[in-house]
Amino acid sequence: MNMLELKGVSVLYGSDVQALYNVNLEVKAGQWLAIMGPSGSGKTTMMNIIGCMAKPTSGSVILDGQDTSKGSEADLTAVRRDKIGLIFQQFHLVSYLTALENVMLAQYYHSMVGEAEAFAALERVGLGARVHHLPSQLSGGEQQRVCIARALINYPKLILADEPTGNLDETNEDLVMDIFKHLHSTGSTLVVVTHSPEVASYADRMAVLEHGRVVEVTDPPPFEHKGSRRRRSIYG
Ligand SMILES: Nc1ncnc2c1ncn2[C@@H]1O[C@H](COP(=O)(O)OP(=O)(O)O)[C@@H](O)[C@H]1O
Ligand SMILES: [Mg+2]
Protein backbone atom coordinates (compact mmCIF):
# COMPACT_ATOMS: atom_id res chain seq x y z
CA MET A 1 0.00 0.00 0.00
CA ASN A 2 1.24 3.48 -0.82
CA MET A 3 1.25 6.06 1.94
CA LEU A 4 2.04 8.73 -0.62
CA GLU A 5 1.77 9.19 -4.37
CA LEU A 6 2.74 12.22 -6.40
CA LYS A 7 1.31 12.12 -9.91
CA GLY A 8 2.49 14.67 -12.45
CA VAL A 9 3.09 17.31 -9.79
CA SER A 10 4.23 20.70 -11.05
CA VAL A 11 4.69 23.90 -9.06
CA LEU A 12 4.99 27.31 -10.63
CA TYR A 13 5.86 30.35 -8.49
CA GLY A 14 4.52 33.46 -10.19
CA SER A 15 4.80 33.28 -13.95
CA ASP A 16 8.45 32.31 -14.40
CA VAL A 17 9.85 30.14 -11.58
CA GLN A 18 8.98 26.50 -12.10
CA ALA A 19 10.11 24.72 -8.93
CA LEU A 20 8.76 21.25 -9.80
CA TYR A 21 8.17 19.69 -13.23
CA ASN A 22 5.87 16.69 -13.59
CA VAL A 23 7.14 14.85 -10.50
CA ASN A 24 5.98 11.25 -10.10
CA LEU A 25 6.90 9.44 -6.90
CA GLU A 26 5.48 6.73 -4.69
CA VAL A 27 6.30 5.99 -1.07
CA LYS A 28 5.03 2.77 0.45
CA ALA A 29 3.62 2.68 3.96
CA GLY A 30 6.50 2.10 6.37
CA GLN A 31 9.13 3.09 3.83
CA TRP A 32 11.95 5.54 4.56
CA LEU A 33 12.70 7.75 1.56
CA ALA A 34 15.68 10.10 1.42
CA ILE A 35 15.53 13.09 -0.91
CA MET A 36 18.76 14.63 -2.08
CA GLY A 37 19.66 17.30 -4.60
CA PRO A 38 21.46 20.60 -4.88
CA SER A 39 20.21 23.81 -3.34
CA GLY A 40 17.30 25.25 -5.34
CA SER A 41 16.36 21.90 -6.89
CA GLY A 42 12.86 21.95 -5.39
CA LYS A 43 13.24 19.78 -2.26
CA THR A 44 11.51 22.18 0.16
CA THR A 45 8.80 22.93 -2.38
CA MET A 46 8.12 19.21 -2.63
CA MET A 47 7.98 18.85 1.16
CA ASN A 48 5.55 21.79 1.39
CA ILE A 49 3.29 20.11 -1.16
CA ILE A 50 3.46 16.71 0.56
CA GLY A 51 2.94 18.36 3.96
CA CYS A 52 -0.24 20.11 2.77
CA MET A 53 1.20 23.56 3.35
CA ALA A 54 0.73 24.42 -0.32
CA LYS A 55 -1.07 22.95 -3.30
CA PRO A 56 0.58 22.06 -6.59
CA THR A 57 -0.13 24.13 -9.69
CA SER A 58 -1.06 20.87 -11.41
CA GLY A 59 -0.98 17.16 -10.70
CA SER A 60 -2.25 15.27 -7.72
CA VAL A 61 -0.99 14.20 -4.31
CA ILE A 62 -2.57 11.14 -2.72
CA LEU A 63 -1.77 10.90 0.97
CA ASP A 64 -3.05 7.83 2.82
CA GLY A 65 -5.70 7.38 0.13
CA GLN A 66 -6.88 10.99 0.13
CA ASP A 67 -6.31 13.43 -2.76
CA THR A 68 -4.96 16.44 -0.87
CA SER A 69 -4.35 18.47 -4.02
CA LYS A 70 -8.13 18.81 -4.32
CA GLY A 71 -8.85 19.46 -0.63
CA SER A 72 -10.24 22.63 0.95
CA GLU A 73 -8.17 24.60 3.49
CA ALA A 74 -10.11 22.85 6.25
CA ASP A 75 -9.35 19.43 4.74
CA LEU A 76 -5.64 20.25 4.54
CA THR A 77 -5.59 21.48 8.13
CA ALA A 78 -7.17 18.22 9.25
CA VAL A 79 -4.63 16.15 7.30
CA ARG A 80 -1.73 18.10 8.83
CA ARG A 81 -3.19 17.71 12.30
CA ASP A 82 -4.03 14.00 12.03
CA LYS A 83 -1.43 12.48 9.74
CA ILE A 84 1.72 14.55 9.41
CA GLY A 85 4.66 15.35 11.66
CA LEU A 86 6.99 18.05 10.36
CA ILE A 87 10.61 18.64 11.31
CA PHE A 88 12.59 21.52 9.78
CA GLN A 89 16.21 22.59 9.72
CA GLN A 90 15.25 25.83 11.46
CA PHE A 91 13.77 24.89 14.78
CA HIS A 92 10.68 27.16 14.82
CA LEU A 93 10.32 27.08 18.58
CA VAL A 94 8.54 29.90 20.40
CA SER A 95 11.37 31.67 22.21
CA TYR A 96 9.49 32.71 25.35
CA LEU A 97 7.97 29.27 26.00
CA THR A 98 9.76 26.39 27.73
CA ALA A 99 10.46 23.08 25.99
CA LEU A 100 7.40 21.61 27.72
CA GLU A 101 5.15 24.51 26.70
CA ASN A 102 6.42 24.38 23.11
CA VAL A 103 5.45 20.72 22.89
CA MET A 104 2.09 21.37 24.60
CA LEU A 105 1.28 24.04 22.05
CA ALA A 106 1.73 21.45 19.28
CA GLN A 107 2.49 22.16 15.68
CA TYR A 108 0.16 24.49 13.74
CA TYR A 109 -1.33 25.37 17.11
CA HIS A 110 -4.05 22.85 16.36
CA SER A 111 -4.63 21.74 19.88
CA MET A 112 -3.32 21.99 23.40
CA VAL A 113 -1.63 18.79 24.42
CA GLY A 114 -1.79 17.72 28.06
CA GLU A 115 1.26 18.42 30.21
CA ALA A 116 1.78 14.74 31.05
CA GLU A 117 1.63 13.79 27.37
CA ALA A 118 4.10 16.54 26.42
CA PHE A 119 6.42 15.50 29.25
CA ALA A 120 6.33 11.86 28.06
CA ALA A 121 7.14 12.97 24.49
CA LEU A 122 10.17 14.91 25.73
CA GLU A 123 11.30 11.93 27.80
CA ARG A 124 11.15 9.74 24.70
CA VAL A 125 13.71 11.98 22.99
CA GLY A 126 15.94 12.05 26.07
CA LEU A 127 14.96 15.51 27.33
CA GLY A 128 13.15 14.63 30.55
CA ALA A 129 15.59 16.76 32.54
CA ARG A 130 15.29 19.80 30.26
CA VAL A 131 11.54 20.37 30.07
CA HIS A 132 11.52 23.74 31.86
CA HIS A 133 14.34 25.26 29.82
CA LEU A 134 13.72 27.98 27.24
CA PRO A 135 14.98 27.35 23.68
CA SER A 136 17.87 29.80 24.31
CA GLN A 137 18.99 27.59 27.22
CA LEU A 138 19.16 24.49 25.03
CA SER A 139 21.82 23.37 22.57
CA GLY A 140 20.97 23.06 18.87
CA GLY A 141 20.66 19.31 19.21
CA GLU A 142 18.33 19.66 22.19
CA GLN A 143 16.18 22.21 20.36
CA GLN A 144 15.87 19.86 17.39
CA ARG A 145 14.80 17.07 19.74
CA VAL A 146 12.09 19.38 21.21
CA CYS A 147 10.86 19.88 17.63
CA ILE A 148 10.85 16.14 17.06
CA ALA A 149 8.89 15.56 20.29
CA ARG A 150 6.40 18.20 19.11
CA ALA A 151 6.13 16.67 15.63
CA LEU A 152 5.49 13.20 17.04
CA ILE A 153 2.92 14.18 19.65
CA ASN A 154 -0.05 13.05 17.54
CA TYR A 155 1.64 9.81 16.38
CA PRO A 156 1.67 10.89 12.71
CA LYS A 157 1.65 8.21 10.02
CA LEU A 158 3.93 10.31 7.84
CA ILE A 159 6.98 12.12 9.16
CA LEU A 160 8.51 14.79 6.93
CA ALA A 161 11.92 16.19 7.80
CA ASP A 162 13.60 18.94 5.74
CA GLU A 163 17.36 18.91 6.42
CA PRO A 164 16.73 17.95 10.07
CA THR A 165 20.43 17.60 10.89
CA GLY A 166 21.65 20.50 8.76
CA ASN A 167 22.46 22.62 11.82
CA LEU A 168 23.72 19.81 14.06
CA ASP A 169 27.12 18.41 14.93
CA GLU A 170 27.89 14.73 14.44
CA THR A 171 26.90 13.66 17.98
CA ASN A 172 23.51 15.32 17.74
CA GLU A 173 23.05 14.05 14.19
CA ASP A 174 23.54 10.54 15.58
CA LEU A 175 20.92 11.17 18.30
CA VAL A 176 18.39 12.38 15.73
CA MET A 177 19.20 9.41 13.49
CA ASP A 178 18.58 7.06 16.42
CA ILE A 179 15.11 8.55 16.82
CA PHE A 180 14.41 8.17 13.09
CA LYS A 181 15.65 4.57 13.10
CA HIS A 182 13.32 3.84 15.99
CA LEU A 183 10.37 5.46 14.18
CA HIS A 184 11.16 3.42 11.07
CA SER A 185 11.34 0.20 13.09
CA THR A 186 7.91 0.92 14.56
CA GLY A 187 6.31 1.32 11.13
CA SER A 188 6.30 5.08 10.51
CA THR A 189 6.72 6.34 6.96
CA LEU A 190 9.61 8.81 6.70
CA VAL A 191 10.57 11.32 4.02
CA VAL A 192 13.87 12.99 4.89
CA VAL A 193 15.58 15.70 2.84
CA THR A 194 19.30 15.72 3.46
CA HIS A 195 22.64 16.73 1.98
CA SER A 196 24.39 14.06 4.05
CA PRO A 197 25.18 10.66 2.49
CA GLU A 198 25.43 9.30 6.05
CA VAL A 199 21.86 10.39 6.86
CA ALA A 200 20.61 9.13 3.47
CA SER A 201 22.35 5.78 3.95
CA TYR A 202 19.75 4.71 6.53
CA ALA A 203 16.82 5.18 4.15
CA ASP A 204 15.26 2.35 2.14
CA ARG A 205 15.30 4.40 -1.04
CA MET A 206 16.72 7.65 -2.35
CA ALA A 207 15.29 10.11 -4.87
CA VAL A 208 17.49 12.83 -6.35
CA LEU A 209 16.00 16.12 -7.53
CA GLU A 210 17.67 18.42 -10.03
CA HIS A 211 16.08 21.56 -11.45
CA GLY A 212 12.66 20.44 -10.22
CA ARG A 213 12.81 16.97 -11.73
CA VAL A 214 13.36 13.56 -10.17
CA VAL A 215 16.48 12.46 -12.05
CA GLU A 216 17.35 9.32 -10.13
CA VAL A 217 15.71 6.82 -7.77
CA THR A 218 18.05 4.34 -6.07
CA ASP A 219 16.87 1.40 -4.00
CA PRO A 220 18.68 1.19 -1.58
CA PRO A 221 20.71 4.47 -1.42
CA PRO A 222 24.27 4.06 -2.72
CA PHE A 223 25.94 5.05 0.56
CA GLU A 224 27.47 3.13 3.43
CA HIS A 225 26.94 3.70 7.13
CA LYS A 226 29.40 4.93 9.69
CA GLY A 227 32.71 3.19 9.85
CA SER A 228 33.28 4.12 6.27
CA ARG A 229 31.66 7.39 7.24
CA ARG A 230 32.03 10.13 4.69
CA ARG A 231 31.22 13.42 6.36
CA ARG A 232 31.47 15.60 3.29
CA SER A 233 28.25 16.36 1.42
CA ILE A 234 28.33 15.09 -2.14
CA TYR A 235 27.11 18.54 -3.13
CA GLY A 236 30.04 20.31 -1.48
N1 LIG B 1 7.90 31.25 -2.36
C1 LIG B 1 8.66 31.25 -3.47
N2 LIG B 1 8.46 32.16 -4.45
C2 LIG B 1 9.22 32.16 -5.57
N3 LIG B 1 10.21 31.27 -5.82
C3 LIG B 1 10.44 30.34 -4.88
C4 LIG B 1 9.70 30.27 -3.67
N4 LIG B 1 10.17 29.23 -2.93
C5 LIG B 1 11.15 28.68 -3.65
N5 LIG B 1 11.33 29.33 -4.83
C6 LIG B 1 12.28 28.97 -5.90
O1 LIG B 1 11.95 27.65 -6.31
C7 LIG B 1 13.13 26.89 -6.53
C8 LIG B 1 13.16 25.68 -5.60
O2 LIG B 1 13.33 26.12 -4.27
P1 LIG B 1 13.31 25.14 -3.02
O3 LIG B 1 12.12 24.25 -3.15
O4 LIG B 1 13.41 25.95 -1.79
O5 LIG B 1 14.64 24.28 -3.26
P2 LIG B 1 15.60 23.47 -2.26
O6 LIG B 1 14.83 23.19 -1.01
O7 LIG B 1 15.97 22.25 -3.03
O8 LIG B 1 16.79 24.33 -2.00
C9 LIG B 1 14.29 27.85 -6.35
O9 LIG B 1 14.60 28.40 -7.61
C10 LIG B 1 13.70 28.90 -5.43
O10 LIG B 1 14.37 30.13 -5.60
MG1 LIG C 1 15.27 23.55 1.00
Side-chain angles (χ1 to χ4, degrees), residues 161-192:
D162 193 353
E163 301 192 41
T165 62
N167 285 334
L168 303 182
D169 62 21
E170 196 172 313
T171 307
N172 280 299
E173 178 179 296
D174 288 346
L175 282 169
V176 168
M177 293 314 293
D178 286 344
I179 296 170
F180 285 0
K181 285 181 223 168
H182 176 72
L183 290 166
H184 184 234
S185 74
T186 55
S188 298
T189 309
L190 291 153
V191 179
V192 179

Short mmCIF file of all heavy atoms in Angstrom, two decimals, residues 161-192:
data_model
loop_
_atom_site.label_atom_id
_atom_site.label_comp_id
_atom_site.label_asym_id
_atom_site.label_seq_id
_atom_site.Cartn_x
_atom_site.Cartn_y
_atom_site.Cartn_z
N ALA A 161 10.82 15.45 7.19
CA ALA A 161 11.92 16.19 7.80
C ALA A 161 12.75 16.85 6.69
O ALA A 161 13.21 16.18 5.77
CB ALA A 161 12.78 15.25 8.64
N ASP A 162 12.87 18.18 6.77
CA ASP A 162 13.60 18.94 5.74
C ASP A 162 14.95 19.37 6.31
O ASP A 162 15.04 20.29 7.11
CB ASP A 162 12.77 20.16 5.32
CG ASP A 162 13.30 20.82 4.06
OD1 ASP A 162 14.39 20.43 3.57
OD2 ASP A 162 12.62 21.73 3.55
N GLU A 163 16.00 18.67 5.91
CA GLU A 163 17.36 18.91 6.42
C GLU A 163 17.39 18.96 7.95
O GLU A 163 17.87 19.93 8.53
CB GLU A 163 17.95 20.18 5.81
CG GLU A 163 18.01 20.09 4.29
CD GLU A 163 18.85 21.21 3.68
OE1 GLU A 163 19.90 21.53 4.25
OE2 GLU A 163 18.44 21.74 2.64
N PRO A 164 16.89 17.91 8.61
CA PRO A 164 16.73 17.95 10.07
C PRO A 164 18.05 18.00 10.83
O PRO A 164 18.08 18.41 11.98
CB PRO A 164 16.00 16.63 10.38
CG PRO A 164 16.40 15.72 9.26
CD PRO A 164 16.49 16.61 8.05
N THR A 165 19.14 17.58 10.19
CA THR A 165 20.43 17.60 10.89
C THR A 165 21.37 18.64 10.29
O THR A 165 22.55 18.66 10.61
CB THR A 165 21.09 16.20 10.84
OG1 THR A 165 21.35 15.86 9.48
CG2 THR A 165 20.19 15.13 11.45
N GLY A 166 20.82 19.51 9.45
CA GLY A 166 21.65 20.50 8.76
C GLY A 166 22.38 21.45 9.68
O GLY A 166 23.45 21.95 9.34
N ASN A 167 21.81 21.70 10.87
CA ASN A 167 22.46 22.62 11.82
C ASN A 167 23.09 21.89 12.99
O ASN A 167 23.40 22.51 14.00
CB ASN A 167 21.42 23.61 12.37
CG ASN A 167 21.05 24.67 11.35
OD1 ASN A 167 21.84 24.98 10.47
ND2 ASN A 167 19.86 25.21 11.44
N LEU A 168 23.26 20.58 12.90
CA LEU A 168 23.72 19.81 14.06
C LEU A 168 25.13 19.26 13.87
O LEU A 168 25.55 18.98 12.75
CB LEU A 168 22.77 18.64 14.33
CG LEU A 168 21.29 19.00 14.54
CD1 LEU A 168 20.49 17.74 14.84
CD2 LEU A 168 21.12 20.03 15.63
N ASP A 169 25.83 19.09 14.99
CA ASP A 169 27.12 18.41 14.93
C ASP A 169 26.89 16.90 14.84
O ASP A 169 25.76 16.41 14.91
CB ASP A 169 28.00 18.78 16.12
CG ASP A 169 27.37 18.37 17.45
OD1 ASP A 169 26.49 17.48 17.46
OD2 ASP A 169 27.75 18.95 18.47
N GLU A 170 27.99 16.17 14.70
CA GLU A 170 27.89 14.73 14.44
C GLU A 170 27.19 13.97 15.58
O GLU A 170 26.38 13.08 15.34
CB GLU A 170 29.31 14.19 14.23
CG GLU A 170 29.35 12.84 13.59
CD GLU A 170 30.79 12.44 13.25
OE1 GLU A 170 31.51 13.29 12.67
OE2 GLU A 170 31.16 11.32 13.57
N THR A 171 27.50 14.36 16.83
CA THR A 171 26.90 13.66 17.98
C THR A 171 25.39 13.83 17.97
O THR A 171 24.63 12.88 18.15
CB THR A 171 27.47 14.25 19.29
OG1 THR A 171 28.88 14.19 19.20
CG2 THR A 171 26.99 13.46 20.49
N ASN A 172 24.94 15.07 17.75
CA ASN A 172 23.51 15.32 17.74
C ASN A 172 22.84 14.74 16.50
O ASN A 172 21.70 14.29 16.56
CB ASN A 172 23.23 16.82 17.86
CG ASN A 172 23.35 17.28 19.30
OD1 ASN A 172 22.61 16.82 20.16
ND2 ASN A 172 24.31 18.15 19.57
N GLU A 173 23.57 14.71 15.38
CA GLU A 173 23.05 14.05 14.19
C GLU A 173 22.78 12.57 14.51
O GLU A 173 21.74 12.02 14.16
CB GLU A 173 24.03 14.17 13.03
CG GLU A 173 23.56 13.45 11.78
CD GLU A 173 24.54 13.58 10.62
OE1 GLU A 173 24.74 14.72 10.15
OE2 GLU A 173 25.10 12.55 10.20
N ASP A 174 23.72 11.95 15.22
CA ASP A 174 23.54 10.54 15.58
C ASP A 174 22.31 10.35 16.47
O ASP A 174 21.56 9.39 16.30
CB ASP A 174 24.78 10.01 16.32
CG ASP A 174 25.96 9.84 15.37
OD1 ASP A 174 25.75 9.87 14.15
OD2 ASP A 174 27.10 9.70 15.87
N LEU A 175 22.09 11.28 17.41
CA LEU A 175 20.92 11.17 18.30
C LEU A 175 19.62 11.26 17.50
O LEU A 175 18.68 10.50 17.71
CB LEU A 175 20.95 12.29 19.35
CG LEU A 175 21.90 12.08 20.52
CD1 LEU A 175 22.03 13.36 21.33
CD2 LEU A 175 21.40 10.94 21.40
N VAL A 176 19.59 12.22 16.57
CA VAL A 176 18.39 12.38 15.73
C VAL A 176 18.20 11.14 14.86
O VAL A 176 17.08 10.64 14.69
CB VAL A 176 18.49 13.67 14.90
CG1 VAL A 176 17.42 13.72 13.82
CG2 VAL A 176 18.37 14.89 15.81
N MET A 177 19.31 10.62 14.32
CA MET A 177 19.20 9.41 13.49
C MET A 177 18.68 8.23 14.30
O MET A 177 17.91 7.42 13.80
CB MET A 177 20.55 9.06 12.85
CG MET A 177 21.04 10.06 11.83
SD MET A 177 19.78 10.57 10.66
CE MET A 177 19.54 9.03 9.79
N ASP A 178 19.09 8.14 15.57
CA ASP A 178 18.58 7.06 16.42
C ASP A 178 17.06 7.15 16.56
O ASP A 178 16.36 6.14 16.53
CB ASP A 178 19.23 7.11 17.81
CG ASP A 178 20.68 6.64 17.76
OD1 ASP A 178 21.06 6.00 16.76
OD2 ASP A 178 21.41 6.91 18.73
N ILE A 179 16.57 8.37 16.70
CA ILE A 179 15.11 8.55 16.82
C ILE A 179 14.42 8.13 15.51
O ILE A 179 13.42 7.41 15.51
CB ILE A 179 14.77 10.02 17.17
CG1 ILE A 179 15.34 10.38 18.55
CG2 ILE A 179 13.26 10.25 17.14
CD1 ILE A 179 15.28 11.87 18.89
N PHE A 180 15.00 8.54 14.38
CA PHE A 180 14.41 8.17 13.09
C PHE A 180 14.43 6.66 12.88
O PHE A 180 13.47 6.08 12.37
CB PHE A 180 15.14 8.86 11.93
CG PHE A 180 14.83 10.32 11.78
CD1 PHE A 180 13.95 10.96 12.64
CD2 PHE A 180 15.41 11.07 10.77
CE1 PHE A 180 13.66 12.31 12.50
CE2 PHE A 180 15.13 12.42 10.62
CZ PHE A 180 14.26 13.04 11.49
N LYS A 181 15.56 6.03 13.26
CA LYS A 181 15.65 4.57 13.10
C LYS A 181 14.57 3.88 13.93
O LYS A 181 13.96 2.91 13.49
CB LYS A 181 17.03 4.07 13.54
CG LYS A 181 18.13 4.38 12.54
CD LYS A 181 19.46 3.83 13.06
CE LYS A 181 20.57 4.82 12.83
NZ LYS A 181 21.80 4.48 13.56
N HIS A 182 14.36 4.42 15.12
CA HIS A 182 13.32 3.84 15.99
C HIS A 182 11.94 4.02 15.35
O HIS A 182 11.14 3.09 15.31
CB HIS A 182 13.37 4.50 17.37
CG HIS A 182 12.27 4.03 18.26
ND1 HIS A 182 12.24 2.76 18.80
CD2 HIS A 182 11.12 4.63 18.65
CE1 HIS A 182 11.14 2.62 19.50
NE2 HIS A 182 10.43 3.73 19.43
N LEU A 183 11.67 5.21 14.83
CA LEU A 183 10.37 5.46 14.18
C LEU A 183 10.17 4.51 13.00
O LEU A 183 9.10 3.95 12.80
CB LEU A 183 10.30 6.91 13.69
CG LEU A 183 10.20 7.96 14.79
CD1 LEU A 183 10.48 9.35 14.22
CD2 LEU A 183 8.82 7.93 15.44
N HIS A 184 11.23 4.32 12.22
CA HIS A 184 11.16 3.42 11.07
C HIS A 184 10.86 2.00 11.53
O HIS A 184 10.01 1.31 10.96
CB HIS A 184 12.49 3.48 10.32
CG HIS A 184 12.54 2.69 9.06
ND1 HIS A 184 13.51 1.74 8.82
CD2 HIS A 184 11.75 2.68 7.98
CE1 HIS A 184 13.31 1.20 7.63
NE2 HIS A 184 12.24 1.75 7.10
N SER A 185 11.52 1.58 12.61
CA SER A 185 11.34 0.20 13.09
C SER A 185 9.94 -0.01 13.65
O SER A 185 9.47 -1.14 13.73
CB SER A 185 12.40 -0.14 14.15
OG SER A 185 12.08 0.52 15.36
N THR A 186 9.26 1.07 14.03
CA THR A 186 7.91 0.92 14.56
C THR A 186 6.84 1.19 13.49
O THR A 186 5.67 1.33 13.80
CB THR A 186 7.68 1.84 15.78
OG1 THR A 186 7.97 3.18 15.41
CG2 THR A 186 8.56 1.44 16.94
N GLY A 187 7.28 1.29 12.22
CA GLY A 187 6.31 1.32 11.13
C GLY A 187 5.96 2.69 10.57
O GLY A 187 5.11 2.80 9.68
N SER A 188 6.59 3.76 11.06
CA SER A 188 6.30 5.08 10.51
C SER A 188 6.85 5.19 9.09
O SER A 188 7.85 4.55 8.76
CB SER A 188 6.96 6.18 11.35
OG SER A 188 6.45 6.19 12.65
N THR A 189 6.22 6.01 8.29
CA THR A 189 6.72 6.34 6.96
C THR A 189 7.51 7.64 7.09
O THR A 189 7.03 8.60 7.69
CB THR A 189 5.54 6.54 5.98
OG1 THR A 189 4.68 5.41 6.07
CG2 THR A 189 6.03 6.71 4.56
N LEU A 190 8.73 7.65 6.54
CA LEU A 190 9.61 8.81 6.70
C LEU A 190 10.04 9.35 5.34
O LEU A 190 10.47 8.57 4.48
CB LEU A 190 10.88 8.41 7.46
CG LEU A 190 10.78 8.04 8.94
CD1 LEU A 190 11.91 7.10 9.33
CD2 LEU A 190 10.88 9.31 9.77
N VAL A 191 9.98 10.67 5.18
CA VAL A 191 10.57 11.32 4.02
C VAL A 191 11.55 12.36 4.56
O VAL A 191 11.15 13.28 5.28
CB VAL A 191 9.51 11.99 3.12
CG1 VAL A 191 10.18 12.68 1.93
CG2 VAL A 191 8.49 10.96 2.64
N VAL A 192 12.83 12.17 4.28
CA VAL A 192 13.87 12.99 4.89
C VAL A 192 14.74 13.63 3.81
O VAL A 192 15.44 12.94 3.07
CB VAL A 192 14.75 12.14 5.84
CG1 VAL A 192 15.84 13.00 6.47
CG2 VAL A 192 13.90 11.48 6.93
#
